[in-house]
Structures are given as C-alpha cells and as structure tokens.
Amino acid sequence: MNHPAPDVLFAPDPWATALEKYAGVTHLTIQVFDANGRLVLGPLHPTPLFQLFSERGYDPGMFLECVHRCLAQSDTRPAVTVSQVHGLATVGTSLVLDGQIVGAVVGGYVFADFAHASDLQGLARHAGIAYAHLWDVVRQQAPVPSRRLLLHGELLQVLGDALLQETHRTRQYERSAAIIESSDDAIVSLDLDGLITSWNGGAERLFGYTRAEAIGQPNTMLIPAEQVDEESGTKRSMGQGASLEPYVTLRRCKDGRVINILLSVSPLIDAQGRMIGTSRVARDITARTRAENALRVLTQELEGRVEARTQELNESQQRLRALATELNLTEQRERHRLATELHDHLQQILVYSKMKLGQSKLLVKSIPACAEMINQTDEVLSEALQYTRNLVAELSPPVLHEYGLPAGLKWLGEYMEKYALVVTVTVRTEGLTLPEDQAVLLFQSVRELLFNAAKHAGIGQAAVILEQRHEQLRIEVSDQGAGFNVAAAIPRGVSSSTFGLFSIRERMKSLGGSFELESAPGQGTKAILTLPLSDCSRNGVRDEALATQELMQGQSSDTPPMRRSMPKNNVVQVLLVDDHVMVREGLRSVLASYEDLEVVGEARDGLEAVHAVDLLRPHVVIMDINMPKMNGIQATAQIKASRPDTIIIGLSVNAGGENQEAMMKAGAVRLLTKEAAVDQLYQTIHAVVHEAPHT
C-alpha cells in the first residue's frame, strides 16, 4: 500500500508537540526516522548529555543502530534497547501503518545503571571530552534501570502509533475534502426526505446558491415544474439501493435560468448497510452556461472579499482571541484523549496482569525460583502502573475534570514540587462549578504562570488564591522573586514565557474576563485572572455532582444502618461492577477460590449496577468509580439510598484523595486500589461483612 511521503506522515504538527512533552517527562532526546533510516524530525528536547556530544562532534552510533534494529523487527515489535560498554543506552520502537513499518522513533542517551568511574573514563577518552566536564554533565541526568527504559519504549510505541494513525487519517480526510471542494462538478447530497445536506463549491458555481442558502432546503428548489415527476421516479429507483446511470435533465438556477445538466445519482450507505440518502453529481453541458456561472461566481467572490475585508478590521482581534482559545482547548482535548486511552486500556491491562500474578503466587509457593520471578514481575508491573498514573496526571489531571477547578488547583500546587516550587493554594469559595472549557483554560493559565515562576523567579515559592468577588471569579498567582519589566517584555513576544503571557491575556479576553500583571525587577510578580460568573457558573452544579448529592441526601443520618441477615450457609453473595471485561474476569477469578463467597452477577456501569442490586440483592457490591452512563460514586449513593443494607467496596486505579472522600461520603465502606485486589479484597469483604451489625 502506498503511503504519504515522510514529510507528510511525520509533519512537525502534531508530532513535535506530543513528543516534546513525552521527552520532557522521560528526560530523553527524541529523534524520528523514516523507513529508509533518514532523520525526519528531531532532535527534540536535547538533554545535557546529548548536547555535550553534539558540541564535541561525537556520535556513538547508538541512535542509528537502534533504528536499524527497529526497522528490521518482526510483527511483535518489542521495544529495542541498545547499550555499549561505556554504560550508555538508547531505546526505540518501530512505527507501523497498515501492517507496514514506515519509520522508527528513538530516545537517548541515558545510563542504564549508575555510571562507574571506569565507564566514564573510557567514554571521556573515546569522545575526547575532559573527564571532569563529562562528570558534571552526567550528574544532571539520573540513570534509568533497564526495565524502566523498556517501559519508556513501550509507551513511546503507543504514542508514536497513535500520532501516526491520527496524522494519516487527517491527511486522508483533508485530501478527500479538498478533492470534493475543488471539483468543477456540482456535488450534492440529500437525506431520505430530499433535503440538501452537503453542497460543494462546484454546486455554488453551477446553481448560484451559497452553501448557507442551500443546506437544509428541499432539492425541489432546483427542479423546474415540468420535471417534478422525474424526481418521484428517481426516489422509486433509489429505493432499491442501486445507482442510476448518468442522464441528461434540466435544473433551475438561483437566478431563474433553466440549464441542461448531466446528472449521476448514487445511494449513500451507512456502516450498517442502510441507505441514508443520495449523492448527486451534476455537470453543466452548456458552454454558455458555464461561462455565465463562472462570471457570476467571480462577482460573488469579489463581493465577498470586499465584505470580508470590511469586517476584518472590526473582527480581527476577536478572531485572534478565538484562535488562541481554540488552540489551547485543542491541546487540552488531545492531552485528555491520550490520558483517557492510557487509563482505559493500558492501566486496566496492567491491573489485570497483577491480579493474575497475585493468583500465581499462591500456586508456586513451593517453588522458590518461580515465586521469586513472579514477585519481580509483579514489582515491574507496579512500577509501570505507577508510571502510567503519573503520566495520566501530567497529560490531563483527572481531578480537574472530575472535581472542578478548586480541586485541580490544589493538585497543581502539589505537582509543582516536582519543579522545586512550593506553592500555597488558598480556596475562598465553595460550591463553585464552571463549564469545563472555562475550567481547563483557567487551569492552564495558572499552570503556565507557575512554570514561569519556577523558571525565572529564583525563589522557589509561590502562592495561588481562588476567590469570588462581586460576581467575579478571581485567581491571584504571586511570588516574591526576581520580577521583570512588564511593559518591555510582553510587546516583544521574543520568548516562550512572554508569548505565554500574551496568550493568557488573549485567552482571558476571549472568555469575557481579564488578565492583569504587576511586576518590576527585584519586586516579585503578581498575576490576576478575573472571569465574570454567569448564573450557570455561579449556581450550577455538574449533572453528575448534583445527582450524587441528591442521592446522598436521600440517606437519613437519623436512620441506623441495617444489614441483611447472613444466609444459613454463610456464603456471601457478591456483585462485580466494572466497565472493563478483563478486570471483571480478574476479580471473578480471584474470588472464585473462596468457598464462602459467591459471585452472583456482573454489571458494566452504574445504571446496570443499580438494577442488578434490586434484582439480585447481593450482600456486597465491588464498585468501580470511573464508568460510563453513571459513575460508581453516583451508583453507590443511589444503592445506599434505596437499599442501605448493601455493603459497597470501591475499587479504582486511583484510590486516593478526592475519590476516597467521595466514595466514603456516598456510602462505601472501603476504597481499594485495583492492583491490591488479590491480596486485600477477600480479607476486606470478610472484615466488613462480619464487623457490620445484622438484623
């Protein structure tokens, strides 16, 4: 299969942005190569060690060796590591499109273990670098264990394949859309009711109607009165799902002229094989009509340009703000999509693997060598799971999307400690709920301001205050650091930080708010973000949060908890609730080995869980949190409101912080991490069942 050229497949946008962020997290320098081993992108995020080698003209050849191994891989495509006697290592992966290796991406250089003096001395001699200078650079870059380096490679493969598929799909869509839009023929689609649903540029030129005028209108507006019966015949023929041979007919233009056209009609079929409309291609077969249409289209185009230029003077600033906002939202949506993919797939696979390993431990206790190997593998999986948690949080903090801006800012304050910045976050408002796009843009703005403080303030401390003042949301970000000349910095826009400040200002204006910046050399910096609070933002509550609150209010604190009496055979009936089949399978296999437990059913989301509890009346419900339709917190609250005797134990990949508090408040007795299920779930069920009062 022919694929686009490398400069199209690996265009800097969006590759450079995504890989730069990945490189920053993993502390690797990234280079992308095509199927011929040519460098097409990079180096991205040059590390101090990479820069030192580049400055001295030293190339260990490890990048190219890793590329050659990646390009020669089999279908399994494991991550490839290349190491040398000097302790250096690189990691890479092949990139596959439609079953064909089309390139490779490699990251390095790192030390696969703590660098020994002999290795460094050998490397210094081989590279022609003074040992002391090399040691100063090496100290800045922590070593990466081999198993973590392999994990970096696997994650790089997931990211690279996703970027490759997205780029390929985008190019295909753009090419198809460009072909249709640039066609000289009129290409029009109709729904089953005969209403126009698409209208290309050729149709505008041929019939005279603009896209806005045509969309949603009946196709009969183009048919002269004497040709109406023809359309009825066409509908009857198309009802059988077959295309019609091209035929000559008449159509009426917007200006009233009746023209001769050659018309082709084909059915539009959806993915289920159902006919959802028709596609029609019309070509003017009269030279005189083509000339008149061309002149008319040119006149309309000139008039549109005059009008557009007149409006441009008044709307240019608004367009700039809207563009800045959309660019930021697009980045956040992509980050959120990648984070969701990691959570919904990779993390669940890791959890399932840990469950299976946990069961395997019980089977090989008498075989020390096997038990030790399983323990080592379990440790690697735990490290991988923790790594994905951190990566998900850095890409798109779940706390921001699930609990709103105040909780997101508190998480951000703790996160900035990673960059040697201690942030004090103060929230002086309660019940604040913003539309998600506003919350995301405000969060991103605060994050950029804190990163600026970490880079330039030189003090290591900052403060964030969130409060409501006079129907406005106000966020203040301040530090007592080096400061700068605001008037001189923002207009120049010569650095990423000053461009970021300009972007924040335009972003806030697009939301109807404002951005004020106060700073001077040696006097610290204070940034103030203000946003008018609409009635929806001020008083509204997220649908999910409101539903959960109402359900929890249905539980009277004056009513003592009631428990269903245990069956005579002392077998505890359990309902498993999780939207991932593998996790439910793993939980069932964990619990199946206990004679005093019986899994009586499974549910894929909160709604199914509520119905299953009403039907099956289990003693214990094992409840996931993040699920479609109704999440675990809402389902817990609703079950406890209607059947308070049901014991609910929460499970989540992220079992701390806000999730812990929300599940306990909804009525759960415990919240465990999914990977702890093998070791702790049975004991927890046994403890909460036998310690609870029964009636």
Side-chain angles (χ1 to χ4, degrees):
M1 178 177 293
N2 293 327
H3 293 120
D7 58 340
V8 175
L9 280 178
F10 306 108
D13 184 15
W15 283 84
T17 301
L19 292 179
E20 181 72 30
K21 296 180 185 300
Y22 169 86
V25 171
T26 57
H27 305 295
L28 296 171
T29 298
I30 304 298
Q31 291 184 341
V32 182
F33 300 81
D34 64 15
N36 296 319
R38 295 187 300 111
L39 179 66
V40 293
L41 186 63
L44 301 174
H45 191 74
T47 60
L49 188 59
F50 186 94
Q51 289 178 320
L52 177 61
F53 287 171
S54 297
E55 292 170 358
R56 297 304 176 90
Y58 173 62
D59 182 6
M62 300 170 63
F63 269 81
L64 287 179
E65 182 181 351
C66 193
V67 169
H68 292 154
R69 293 188 187 180
C70 290
L71 295 179
Q73 281 186 321
S74 64
D75 293 340
T76 58
R77 293 200 303 145
V80 174
T81 58
V82 174
S83 58
Q84 291 188 342
V85 295
H86 300 304
L88 289 176
T90 59
V91 63
T93 179
S94 57
L95 299 172
V96 170
L97 183 62
D98 296 330
Q100 177 182 347
I101 294 180
V102 297
V105 56
V106 179
Y109 304 91
V110 296
F111 282 91
D113 203 339
F114 289 96
H116 296 291
S118 59
D119 287 334
L120 291 179
Q121 290 171 354
L123 180 60
R125 288 193 302 271
H126 198 262
I129 302 172
Y131 175 83
H133 188 189
L134 178 61
W135 171 242
D136 287 340
V137 174
V138 168
R139 287 188 305 173
Q140 303 176 37
Q141 192 165 338
V144 179
S146 297
R147 60 187 181 187
R148 180 178 295 179
L149 192 61
L150 283 172
L151 178 60
H152 286 343
E154 297 296 337
L155 292 176
L156 185 59
Q157 183 180 98
V158 172
L159 179 59
D161 284 350
L163 289 169
L164 192 62
Q165 291 293 338
E166 186 65 22
T167 302
H168 187 48
R169 283 194 298 267
T170 299
R171 301 308 179 198
Q172 287 181 318
Y173 173 80
E174 291 174 348
R175 182 180 179 184
S176 298
I179 291 173
I180 293 174
E181 186 58 28
S182 62
S183 174
D184 290 331
D185 292 339
I187 303 176
V188 179
S189 63
L190 310 180
D191 63 17
L192 294 177
D193 294 324
L195 299 180
I196 297 171
T197 57
S198 71
W199 189 264
N200 77 334
E204 288 187 343
R205 293 186 291 273
L206 182 57
F207 297 118
Y209 293 97
T210 65
R211 185 177 284 104
E213 293 172 330
I215 298 296
Q217 297 299 316
N219 184 49
T220 52
M221 75 176 187
L222 303 175
I223 303 177
E226 61 270 27
Q227 298 292 126
V228 172
D229 292 340
E230 170 198 310
E231 184 65 9
S232 299
T234 299
K235 289 184 177 179
R236 287 193 298 270
S237 300
M238 294 305 298
Q240 302 174 3
S243 300
L244 299 183
E245 290 294 328
Y247 62 96
V248 176
T249 185
L250 301 176
R251 286 296 181 263
R252 187 184 302 277
C253 298
K254 178 181 178 180
D255 59 5
R257 291 179 300 105
V258 176
I259 61 173
N260 293 315
I261 64 168
L262 181 66
L263 182 64
S264 300
V265 184
S266 303
L268 293 176
I269 307 299
D270 66 9
Q272 286 73 41
R274 299 171 300 184
M275 180 174 169
I276 59 175
T278 59
S279 172
R280 305 187 176 209
V281 180
R283 175 174 299 175
D284 184 4
I285 57 174
T286 305
R288 177 168 172 256
T289 302
R290 287 200 300 267
E292 291 176 352
N293 284 340
L295 179 60
R296 176 168 41 81
V297 169
L298 179 58
T299 301
Q300 291 177 342
E301 182 180 350
L302 291 175
E303 291 175 351
R305 289 182 181 178
V306 172
E307 182 180 357
R309 290 184 180 180
T310 301
Q311 294 177 348
E312 185 178 357
L313 295 176
N314 298 323
E315 298 176 355
S316 59
Q317 190 174 27
Q318 184 61 35
R319 289 198 302 270
L320 177 61
R321 292 170 185 164
L323 176 61
T325 300
E326 184 60 29
L327 287 174
N328 281 280
L329 285 175
T330 299
E331 177 190 353
Q332 296 308 311
R333 292 190 194 106
E334 184 63 14
R335 292 164 67 95
H336 186 54
R337 185 186 69 79
L338 291 174
T340 301
E341 287 291 323
L342 287 173
H343 175 272
D344 287 350
H345 298 288
L346 181 57
Q347 285 186 338
Q348 306 307 321
I349 292 173
L350 293 174
V351 166
Y352 177 76
S353 301
K354 283 183 63 62
M355 289 181 182
K356 289 300 183 183
L357 279 178
Q359 293 177 272
S360 302
K361 291 179 183 178
L362 302 177
L363 302 176
V364 299
K365 284 185 177 180
S366 60
I367 309 176
C370 290
E372 176 62 23
M373 183 176 298
I374 289 177
N375 287 332
Q376 292 175 358
T377 305
D378 189 53
E379 291 176 3
V380 173
L381 289 177
S382 296
E383 185 175 344
L385 192 57
Q386 183 59 46
Y387 180 84
T388 59
R389 285 198 191 100
N390 295 339
L391 187 56
V392 166
E394 292 185 1
L395 283 171
S396 182
V399 65
L400 173 65
H401 297 279
E402 296 171 10
Y403 300 103
L405 182 62
L409 293 181
K410 291 180 181 179
W411 175 88
L412 180 60
E414 298 174 357
Y415 172 77
M416 291 305 298
E417 294 180 5
K418 178 179 179 180
Y419 297 91
L421 185 68
V422 177
V423 182
T424 302
V425 179
T426 304
V427 177
R428 297 174 181 168
T429 179
E430 296 182 359
L432 173 68
T433 302
L434 297 171
E436 187 170 9
D437 59 339
Q438 293 184 5
V440 167
L441 290 177
L442 288 171
F443 176 86
Q444 185 184 16
S445 297
V446 174
R447 182 173 60 184
E448 290 181 15
L449 291 170
L450 290 178
F451 274 126
N452 281 345
K455 292 178 182 178
H456 307 298
I459 194 173
Q461 294 179 341
V464 177
I465 300 175
L466 173 67
E467 59 185 347
Q468 289 181 233
R469 286 188 183 180
H470 310 298
E471 308 300 322
Q472 285 189 328
L473 179 66
R474 184 178 186 274
I475 304 177
E476 179 182 302
V477 182
S478 61
D479 66 71
Q480 301 300 316
F484 62 96
N485 188 333
V486 176
I490 293 185
R492 289 200 309 266
V494 294
S495 67
S496 59
S497 60
T498 54
F499 178 78
L501 296 175
F502 172 78
S503 176
I504 293 173
R505 173 168 293 172
E506 294 305 307
R507 190 183 309 154
M508 293 306 299
K509 287 182 179 179
S510 71
L511 296 176
S514 63
F515 173 56
E516 300 176 10
L517 190 62
E518 303 173 7
S519 185
Q523 299 183 21
T525 301
K526 177 190 292 185
I528 300 174
L529 309 170
T530 58
L531 180 68
L533 290 176
S534 63
D535 291 339
C536 175
S537 299
R538 183 170 58 253
N539 301 319
V541 181
R542 286 184 181 84
D543 293 341
E544 293 184 0
L546 178 58
T548 302
Q549 181 179 0
E550 291 174 347
L551 291 170
M552 290 190 293
Q553 288 175 348
Q555 306 176 51
S556 172
S557 59
D558 298 330
T559 304
M562 302 291 290
R563 305 290 184 193
R564 181 190 298 107
S565 59
M566 292 293 293
K568 293 181 180 180
N569 59 5
N570 288 327
V571 175
V572 178
Q573 296 179 339
V574 180
L575 174 68
L576 303 179
V577 185
D578 198 291
D579 58 328
H580 295 91
V581 176
M582 287 192 305
V583 175
R584 296 200 306 272
E585 178 186 339
L587 292 173
R588 180 181 283 273
S589 64
V590 168
L591 300 180
S593 61
Y594 299 99
E595 296 181 352
D596 56 347
L597 296 182
E598 178 187 6
V599 178
V600 296
E602 298 181 7
R604 297 171 297 181
D605 55 61
L607 285 177
E608 288 190 4
V610 173
H611 295 317
V613 169
D614 288 339
L615 179 65
L616 302 174
R617 299 297 305 277
H619 297 92
V620 177
V621 177
I622 308 302
M623 182 75 72
D624 187 22
I625 292 182
N626 294 318
M627 295 183 293
K629 297 183 181 179
M630 177 185 287
N631 64 37
I633 298 171
Q634 293 175 308
T636 296
Q638 184 162 327
I639 292 171
K640 296 298 289 184
S642 61
R643 298 194 180 279
D645 56 331
T646 304
I647 299 173
I648 299 179
I649 299 173
L651 280 185
S652 177
V653 174
N654 301 301
E658 286 75 9
N659 284 341
Q660 179 83 18
E661 180 181 351
M663 280 297 283
M664 296 300 101
K665 188 174 181 180
V669 296
R670 297 284 193 280
L671 178 61
L672 304 176
T673 61
K674 289 185 177 180
E675 64 264 32
V678 173
D679 297 327
Q680 301 179 20
L681 185 55
Y682 173 74
Q683 291 80 0
T684 301
I685 294 174
H686 188 274
V688 299
V689 168
H690 292 285
E691 75 183 11
H694 304 285
T695 60

